[in-house]
Amino acid sequence: MTIYLYFLPLSLFNISQESKNEIDLILTVPQTKQQDFPRNLHDLGRTNLCSNHSDTRSSLDSLDLEGYITFDDVHNASKDFGNRYQFPPLAILHPKSVSDISTVVRHILHLGSTSNLTVAARGHGHSLQGQALAHQGVVINMESLQNPDIKIYREKQPYVDVSGGELWINILKETLKHGLSPKSWTDYLHLTVGGTLSNAGISGQAFKHGPQINNVYQLEIVTGKGEVVTCSEKLNPELFHSVLGGLGQFGIITRARISLGPAPHMVKWIRVLYSNFSTFSSDQEHLISKKKGFDYVEGFVSINRTDLLNNWRSSFSPNDSTEASQFKSDGKTLYCLEAVKYFNKEEANSMNQETEKLLSELSYIPSTLFSSVVPYIEFLDRVHLGEIKLRAKGLWEVPHPWLNLLVPKSSIIEFATEVFNNILTSNNNGPILIYPVNQSKWNKQTSLITPSEDIFYLVAFLPSAVQNDLEHLLRQNQRVLNFCAEA
């Protein structure tokens, strides 16, 4: 079984040796495309200690910058969302302009290989295994690059120009003022543009619009030589495609031109359950094949969750309250199909008719139909509400041993049978997402490597390790990877 390890969602990369060892067997970055970055993947295993820190600090401190460099307050840049590794940098650059980034990269290149300085561009620090860290190197705080002006162009093909350090949630709020919105998202919007475009940017809209990297018209890049380069499909195309999904190894995204489309006002949000994985996956694949269907299709796995449907009632209403109250989820492995239909208020009647027709084509458990109608922005920003609750309980900044895979359609039933029935005994530590996407919507020229089949699945294990769960969850991840390798 060939699987692909996918990083969802991460900041720009600078892979440490510890995480590199876990990635090498699956992840290959085309070395011929690299833009002479100060350190490439193989260089990153070095000890990274300067022969004379004081000289290096002095040279960095003497640079003429619009922003500034700090050397002492490096705690936050020493860890990431994965919260498993701590690698303090020598310095943090807080750039106010693209020229600040260019100046620092040129300076490090000028210092030469004897300095052993690595560079990591860090967005919201949402990486998992230290990829946005630079041990005794220079971390670039990309959020300092945010400009107050998010420029929106209402043309035949509308777009927005944004800083690479801008958060997607801010882009959404600004574009909605013009009745527009990006077409493709991640499930969590409090991430930087440069971070998600360096990976892919995948969510339930990807079957329809492709990932976020397929919805970019133009990029501004700082290369490994410190050059500021504009690139697109026609202008410097090799650099353009290399950077998209390139894990930060081909340059630093400082600005992006994102495709926009009409934004709906509301969404009809539906959840239904299945007890049979084959039926569940067939229905998902049926929905993503329709030209006029749902606008978002995802799914998740529930293993031995008590009173699952009652937990939904705080946000969803059952189609049949009596039948729903009699449904028991205890001791079962269930599969939830989550689908959304966008609409404007005047389209409510036709939307309901279309939704009913789509649901009539599916084979879910009838008593488990739940739905909700919420504003478009509330649906897209739904994960942030969970973040607020977890932060209040002190459960956000814990280790996150996530595992994200791309699994070909031909292997998905074999994968689900073994993993969800034998390897996993519960998912109380966090959600397990699973949903198909169409290969035809993905640009094969980018650095992102995907299965070659027409349909493949994103499978995301997203646990939070509380108390003594970390080692257990890491062993569980390894069992999943071992099974894939053996199969």
Side-chain angles (χ1 to χ4, degrees):
M1 181 185 297
T2 301
I3 62 162
Y4 298 75
L5 185 65
Y6 170 61
F7 301 94
L8 168 74
L10 308 179
S11 305
L12 294 166
F13 260 48
N14 200 7
I15 301 179
S16 63
Q17 184 64 39
E18 287 83 353
S19 58
K20 178 182 179 299
N21 291 339
E22 300 176 31
I23 292 168
D24 271 347
L25 294 179
I26 304 173
L27 172 65
T28 302
V29 177
Q31 297 292 320
T32 56
K33 290 185 178 181
Q34 292 199 37
Q35 298 293 308
D36 297 321
F37 217 78
R39 298 272 80 82
N40 63 33
L41 283 174
H42 299 292
D43 292 329
L44 296 180
R46 297 179 181 177
T47 308
N48 217 5
L49 295 175
C50 301
S51 58
N52 192 326
H53 274 186
S54 60
D55 287 349
T56 305
R57 286 180 56 154
S58 297
S59 70
L60 289 169
D61 203 25
S62 65
L63 295 175
D64 183 16
L65 304 172
E66 295 177 50
Y68 61 96
I69 291 180
T70 57
F71 298 94
D72 299 323
D73 187 14
V74 298
H75 174 71
N76 287 336
S78 302
K79 61 179 183 176
D80 56 20
F81 182 71
N83 207 16
R84 291 177 50 210
Y85 300 98
Q86 294 231 4
F87 298 119
L90 173 68
I92 304 173
L93 169 65
H94 302 270
K96 278 195 174 181
S97 66
V98 176
S99 65
D100 283 351
I101 299 175
S102 173
T103 296
V104 169
V105 172
R106 284 177 185 269
H107 178 72
I108 294 173
L109 190 66
H110 176 73
L111 289 176
S113 59
T114 56
S115 75
N116 282 324
L117 279 181
T118 60
V119 179
R122 177 188 177 98
H124 212 52
H126 216 259
S127 53
L128 300 178
Q129 299 186 68
Q131 295 97 338
L133 310 182
H135 188 217
Q136 294 303 307
V138 178
V139 168
I140 301 175
N141 177 17
M142 296 302 294
E143 290 187 83
S144 294
L145 191 63
Q146 289 180 13
N147 293 322
D149 55 329
I150 296 176
K151 295 181 179 179
I152 297 168
Y153 297 84
R154 299 173 60 90
E155 300 182 358
K156 185 177 181 181
Q157 293 182 318
Y159 61 86
V160 58
D161 275 347
V162 296
S163 163
E166 190 60 79
L167 298 183
W168 285 100
I169 182 62
N170 296 334
I171 299 168
L172 175 61
K173 289 177 179 178
E174 193 62 30
T175 55
L176 285 178
K177 296 176 184 177
H178 301 263
L180 298 168
S181 163
K183 303 167 189 175
S184 190
W185 298 96
T186 55
D187 287 330
Y188 180 57
L189 304 189
H190 295 252
L191 301 171
T192 59
V193 169
T196 65
L197 295 185
S198 294
N199 291 268
I202 302 177
S203 185
Q205 302 91 355
F207 79 92
K208 192 170 186 178
H209 300 290
Q212 289 181 322
I213 58 175
N214 279 41
N215 294 274
V216 181
Y217 291 146
Q218 184 176 288
L219 296 171
E220 178 187 74
I221 304 297
V222 175
T223 72
K225 293 179 179 178
E227 298 168 341
V228 181
V229 180
T230 299
C231 56
S232 65
E233 290 276 359
K234 296 181 179 179
L235 183 66
N236 299 308
E238 185 179 15
L239 177 61
F240 180 72
H241 293 127
S242 297
V243 168
L244 293 172
L247 307 177
Q249 296 301 297
F250 308 105
I252 298 169
I253 298 173
T254 53
R255 199 153 189 87
R257 180 167 291 178
I258 311 295
S259 171
L260 300 176
H265 295 145
M266 308 293 291
V267 307
K268 178 87 175 250
W269 189 0
I270 293 165
R271 284 180 176 175
V272 292
L273 287 178
Y274 295 75
S275 57
N276 180 275
F277 181 82
S278 179
T279 306
F280 163 73
S281 59
S282 293
D283 277 2
Q284 280 191 317
E285 291 169 18
H286 170 71
L287 290 179
I288 70 168
S289 71
K290 300 184 72 68
K291 291 185 177 179
K292 191 174 182 180
F294 287 113
D295 297 290
Y296 162 102
V297 174
E298 282 198 12
F300 58 87
V301 183
S302 171
I303 303 174
N304 194 20
R305 299 296 295 272
T306 302
D307 215 12
L308 177 63
L309 295 188
N310 271 336
N311 294 333
W312 290 359
R313 290 178 187 266
S314 60
S315 303
F316 296 84
S317 299
N319 190 51
D320 188 318
S321 186
T322 302
E323 286 194 10
S325 63
Q326 295 173 352
F327 183 84
K328 303 298 181 185
S329 59
D330 312 40
K332 299 177 181 178
T333 298
L334 298 167
Y335 307 96
C336 175
L337 169 63
E338 192 167 43
V340 161
K341 187 78 172 170
Y342 299 159
F343 70 101
N344 295 319
K345 292 179 181 178
E346 64 274 14
E347 302 166 335
N349 288 335
S350 60
M351 178 278 299
N352 282 325
Q353 291 174 5
E354 291 173 15
T355 299
E356 287 178 13
K357 183 178 184 306
L358 289 167
L359 289 173
S360 70
E361 299 169 4
L362 306 179
S363 301
Y364 58 89
I365 302 169
S367 61
T368 66
L369 173 59
F370 277 63
S371 64
S372 178
V373 174
V374 298
Y376 179 62
I377 188 171
E378 183 178 323
F379 167 71
L380 290 180
D381 200 28
R382 62 199 180 279
V383 176
H384 186 52
L385 297 176
E387 175 190 351
I388 293 171
K389 293 177 182 177
L390 290 171
R391 284 189 182 278
K393 298 177 181 178
L395 297 177
W396 183 255
E397 294 189 5
V398 298
H400 295 96
W402 288 6
L403 176 64
N404 300 278
L405 309 174
L406 301 178
V407 181
K409 173 186 172 180
S410 61
S411 301
I412 195 63
I413 291 180
E414 179 187 4
F415 176 91
T417 300
E418 175 64 20
V419 174
F420 303 143
N421 293 337
N422 296 327
I423 295 178
L424 273 64
T425 56
S426 78
N427 64 320
N428 290 325
N429 290 85
I432 302 170
L433 303 184
I434 182 166
Y435 54 91
V437 294
N438 292 314
Q439 179 75 255
S440 61
K441 301 295 184 180
W442 295 57
N443 185 342
K444 296 297 289 182
Q445 293 179 283
T446 68
S447 285
L448 180 70
I449 299 173
T450 65
S452 58
E453 297 183 12
D454 292 340
I455 293 174
F456 57 89
Y457 281 74
L458 172 74
V459 186
F461 303 88
L462 310 176
S464 298
V466 295
Q467 297 177 342
N468 299 316
D469 291 333
L470 179 59
E471 292 305 317
H472 164 71
L473 292 169
L474 290 173
R475 286 195 299 271
Q476 187 170 269
N477 287 349
Q478 193 58 54
R479 286 186 65 193
V480 173
L481 289 172
N482 289 346
F483 161 71
C484 292
E486 292 166 5

